[in-house]
Amino acid sequence: MNRDPVLSVSGLSVTYDVDPPVEAVRDVSLTVGQGEVLGLAGESGCGKSTLAYAVQRLLRPPAEITGGEVVLHDVGGSDVDLTVLPAAEMDRLRWDQIAMVFQGAMNSLNPVLSVGDQLADVFTRHRPAMRRAERTETCGALLEMVGVGANRLRSYPHELSGGMRQRVMIAMALALRPRLLIMDEPTTALDVLVQREILQEISRLREELGFSVVFITHDLPLLLEISDRIAVMRAGRVVETAPAADLYRHPQHEYTKRLLGSFPSLTGERGDFVRKGGVTV
Amino acid sequence: MTTLELAGLTKRYRVRGAGHMLALDDVDLSITSGRTVALVGQSGSGKSTIARIITQLERETSGQVLLDGVPIPRRGKALRSYRQQVRMVFQDPFASLNPYHTVHHHIARPLLLDRVVPRDQVDAEVARLLDRVRLDPELASRRPHELSGGQRQRIAIARALASRPALLVADEPVSMLDVSIRLGVLNLLAELQEADGLGVLYITHDLATARHFSDEIVVLHHGRVVERGPADDVILTPQHEYTRALRDASPDPERHFGGGREPETTGSRS
Ligand SMILES: Nc1ncnc2c1ncn2[C@@H]1O[C@H](COP(=O)(O)OP(=O)(O)OP(=O)(O)O)[C@@H](O)[C@H]1O
Ligand SMILES: Nc1ncnc2c1ncn2[C@@H]1O[C@H](COP(=O)(O)OP(=O)(O)OP(=O)(O)O)[C@@H](O)[C@H]1O
Ligand SMILES: [Mg+2]
Ligand SMILES: [Mg+2]
């Protein structure tokens, strides 16, 4: 599968300059092709979110990029190194070209604004020419798309369930039809049916618009299903990258093998659970 | 032996500009020492509302919450004692930890308030709890925003367990943990269940762990219990259409790739 790259990360390292320093991302290289879904998995604390933040250039001290570059390949064929782009330029790119659903998405909405106003705000800032009526209609359509329903436009974040808030954030990230969508544990609060509907919607949009997705999750069965390629991280490094089916059938790295082997099966055996069965009703 | 019983629980919310909605509709549920009940169901079906009513962050519209047959106290000493017995792990670890306090403070506070261990043993107990949720005790001096999502989730669990509650209401407690740590934490709860008779309400979207980790599964759909029963039965022979749909929608790589995984050569499971 040869696709034009949208994003190339090369030799990226990020350190949290605390005592003792935490080398959260170490010499990571990755590419994301146009229209591709790249899955990113790995132990809790291995540096996935730090990597995502670095790409979006949202790291704040004590985090420091100590090496490498993050190149966004522009439609016109020109390349921009995001690590050195002026802040104002970066603000323009964010949401518009690279959108992100944060891991704490449920908590990243503004508590004192209705979700409709927050969605509308994205358009006011990035699409100032859009008329009010069109904006309201688009926001309603976005909420419908993620299954929250347009009748919740006037709701405040605390009036929505955790999963509904996550879906609002997904809608917001899709609002401007970005070229690259980074999703960090975007569906932890969604039941599998709603999750499936949303992923289908994303995949439909992806076919229509050709954008790319970096999908971070601990849910390996899900990742195997939706990704073209999967990168596995361990202690700050990418230890293995392979097409999903290859990774599933022939995992190379010990850690990947362990990840695949320890999943409890839904309808099969108990696996690594110590629980013996307990009392029955 | 402690039993928390919800009887005929109903909750109505006002939806701005769209009338009312029934978030819970006549829900019965009971949690008992030494047992785990998994609560699964649609996003928005009322699971966290149940948890918030149990922990009194929200008032039911009608119905009752009884601890060992007595309506739960609304104030004073009795309420404090109730809160020590029934602890909660919130769904969102990004919102439930205080950004101004260290990890140590979060866990030491309940230890001191509830006089779980003598003062001079608090540090050691904090370290022990961190270790039990598979965190490096060195993280004690950090603040929540200096931790990854899954690390925060484990702090929330350690904090809830610190007071050695009789019952634990855990709302998606392991959703941000990789399998190996996820199993580690669930196994820890299972051990506490055996050793101290901890009772757990496990709210989750992960049907596989719901099945293997609980005695009973309760399925919620639009605020109603549509199915309940022994964990294996609910997953292996679901009766309600919604439960079947849920189960069939769970990602299954075996099915997706049509098998073909190399047999495990090392580290095969016991
Ligand atoms: N501000 C900070 N100061 C010091 N260390 C930090 C800070 N933020 C994160 N870390 C550490 O950096 C490492 C990587 O964190 P990161 O959030 O990238 O992990 P992750 O792979 O996203 O984990 P999870 O799956 O649990 O979300 C962790 O060990 C974390 O404790
Ligand atoms: N304060 C409130 N005002 C209005 N509606 C509310 C309020 N709190 C919750 N709701 C509504 O009640 C319903 C149930 O929400 P709840 O948080 O209990 O769902 P949940 O089952 O936990 O979902 P999830 O799996 O997405 O976390 C949702 O439709 C939600 O929008
Ligand atoms: Mg993370
Ligand atoms: Mg919830």
Side-chain angles (χ1 to χ4, degrees):
Chain A
M1 228 174 318
N2 260 327
R3 308 171 192 253
D4 291 335
V6 171
L7 183 83
S8 321
V9 174
S10 46
L12 190 72
S13 296
V14 180
T15 299
Y16 289 98
D17 193 8
V18 289
D19 186 27
V22 180
E23 290 178 53
V25 174
R26 306 174 191 212
D27 194 22
V28 163
S29 299
L30 285 172
T31 55
V32 187
Q34 187 174 340
E36 183 180 43
V37 178
L38 176 73
L40 189 58
E43 214 168 28
S44 169
C46 73
K48 304 177 297 296
S49 300
T50 305
L51 176 62
Y53 269 75
V55 169
Q56 276 273 48
R57 253 219 5 235
L58 289 170
L59 291 171
R60 269 183 268 149
E64 202 185 314
I65 295 184
T66 53
E69 51 183 30
V70 177
V71 176
L72 184 70
H73 305 281
D74 218 343
V75 227
S78 62
D79 295 347
V80 258
D81 181 354
L82 300 181
T83 58
V84 295
L85 199 67
E89 294 271 301
M90 191 66 215
D91 285 344
R92 208 177 42 76
L93 282 185
R94 221 178 278 132
W95 287 109
D96 208 347
Q97 303 242 350
I98 313 180
M100 178 151 167
V101 180
F102 299 98
Q103 186 171 19
M106 229 185 271
N107 185 40
S108 46
L109 287 161
N110 185 335
V112 300
L113 282 181
S114 71
V115 294
D117 284 349
Q118 295 184 59
L119 275 170
D121 194 46
V122 175
F123 292 106
T124 323
R125 269 185 293 131
H126 292 269
R127 302 282 184 273
M130 195 186 241
R131 288 178 177 278
R132 193 197 172 96
E134 189 190 347
R135 211 161 52 213
T136 311
E137 198 191 307
T138 313
C139 293
L142 281 166
L143 284 192
E144 285 293 332
M145 182 186 86
V146 293
V148 170
N151 65 346
R152 292 303 190 108
L153 274 172
R154 290 171 62 190
S155 291
Y156 285 78
H158 76 271
E159 298 170 336
L160 300 179
S161 78
M164 292 164 102
R165 274 177 275 149
Q166 269 183 344
R167 286 179 270 164
V168 171
M169 289 308 293
I170 293 173
M172 202 178 276
L174 289 169
L176 300 176
R177 318 197 143 190
R179 297 181 54 221
L180 176 64
L181 182 59
I182 302 176
M183 308 178 90
D184 192 354
E185 299 275 11
T187 59
T188 51
L190 300 183
D191 61 273
V192 284
L193 282 166
V194 168
Q195 183 183 57
R196 235 171 234 288
E197 277 162 28
I198 295 215
L199 293 174
Q200 267 156 16
E201 191 58 35
I202 290 176
S203 131
R204 191 186 63 74
L205 281 174
R206 197 165 54 90
E207 266 157 38
E208 188 184 315
L209 308 168
F211 64 83
S212 317
V213 181
V214 176
F215 200 101
I216 302 174
T217 183
H218 288 299
D219 188 344
L220 213 55
L222 175 72
L223 208 59
L224 284 163
E225 212 172 283
I226 63 167
S227 310
D228 296 306
R229 283 184 308 138
I230 294 178
V232 178
M233 272 181 87
R234 181 92 209 271
R237 292 181 198 283
V238 171
V239 294
E240 177 164 5
T241 310
D246 293 356
L247 190 100
Y248 178 68
R249 296 209 177 97
H250 317 287
Q252 298 299 311
H253 198 275
E254 270 318 305
Y255 177 65
T256 316
K257 288 182 191 165
R258 198 139 54 79
L259 266 187
L260 288 165
S262 53
F263 248 92
S265 148
L266 180 60
T267 49
E269 286 164 21
R270 254 174 229 286
D272 292 337
F273 275 90
V274 296
R275 231 182 127 71
K276 284 163 232 81
V279 222
T280 36
V281 196
Chain B
M1 191 81 168
T2 309
T3 300
L4 186 78
E5 201 179 345
L6 315 183
L9 209 60
T10 297
K11 178 72 188 176
R12 269 157 75 89
Y13 282 117
R14 193 168 67 84
V15 176
R16 276 165 218 274
H20 284 83
M21 61 134 359
L22 207 49
L24 293 176
D25 185 2
D26 197 18
V27 170
D28 297 330
L29 192 75
S30 86
I31 319 167
T32 306
S33 299
R35 289 173 54 88
T36 297
V37 177
L39 183 58
V40 306
Q42 215 185 8
S43 165
S45 61
K47 302 179 298 297
S48 298
T49 303
I50 290 179
R52 284 195 305 266
I53 289 174
I54 292 176
T55 46
Q56 302 219 345
L57 295 169
E58 196 96 70
R59 197 68 184 258
E60 64 276 12
T61 306
S62 63
Q64 280 191 306
V65 186
L66 306 168
L67 185 70
D68 294 328
V70 182
I72 54 174
R74 298 288 172 189
R75 61 179 73 81
K77 259 208 180 119
L79 174 59
R80 259 208 55 201
S81 137
Y82 172 77
R83 291 209 161 129
Q84 180 183 348
Q85 287 180 75
V86 183
R87 286 280 168 187
M88 164 106 183
V89 177
F90 292 93
Q91 184 172 16
D92 182 1
F94 284 76
S96 65
L97 301 174
N98 186 330
Y100 298 104
H101 290 308
T102 61
V103 167
H104 182 275
H105 179 97
H106 277 93
I107 300 172
R109 209 176 126 81
L111 291 175
L112 289 166
L113 279 178
D114 295 328
R115 301 207 180 84
V116 183
V117 291
R119 213 163 244 288
D120 60 352
Q121 286 169 32
V122 165
D123 289 354
E125 180 67 5
V126 170
R128 191 186 71 86
L129 283 161
L130 288 176
D131 184 58
R132 294 218 71 179
V133 295
R134 306 253 212 123
L135 283 175
D136 185 347
E138 299 237 313
L139 295 184
S141 61
R142 295 232 193 125
R143 286 185 294 159
H145 66 269
E146 298 170 328
L147 299 172
S148 79
Q151 288 167 339
R152 289 184 219 200
Q153 218 163 28
R154 282 173 280 166
I155 301 295
I157 295 167
R159 173 176 64 174
L161 293 176
S163 303
R164 304 191 184 164
L167 303 177
L168 182 71
V169 177
D171 195 351
E172 303 263 12
V174 292
S175 60
M176 293 179 194
L177 302 179
D178 56 277
V179 230
S180 129
I181 296 177
R182 185 178 298 192
L183 296 191
V185 169
L186 293 177
N187 283 339
L188 163 65
L189 295 182
E191 272 169 53
L192 293 175
Q193 208 147 49
E194 293 255 311
D196 310 338
L198 180 73
V200 182
L201 179 65
Y202 174 47
I203 301 178
T204 185
H205 287 299
D206 180 0
L207 295 184
T209 58
R211 174 181 164 219
H212 296 303
F213 173 63
S214 16
D215 303 291
E216 185 188 1
I217 297 183
V218 174
V219 185
L220 210 58
H221 188 57
H222 290 308
R224 285 188 185 196
V225 174
V226 294
E227 179 159 2
R228 67 191 336 147
D232 278 359
D233 294 0
V234 171
I235 299 299
L236 299 178
T237 51
Q239 299 302 306
H240 194 275
E241 190 187 345
Y242 176 69
T243 319
R244 266 198 298 273
L246 259 192
R247 188 197 59 178
D248 295 344
S250 289
D252 179 355
E254 204 63 37
R255 198 171 49 201
H256 184 72
F257 293 118
R261 254 199 85 202
E262 274 183 350
E264 196 93 12
T265 44
T266 49
S268 70
R269 61 187 187 212
S270 49

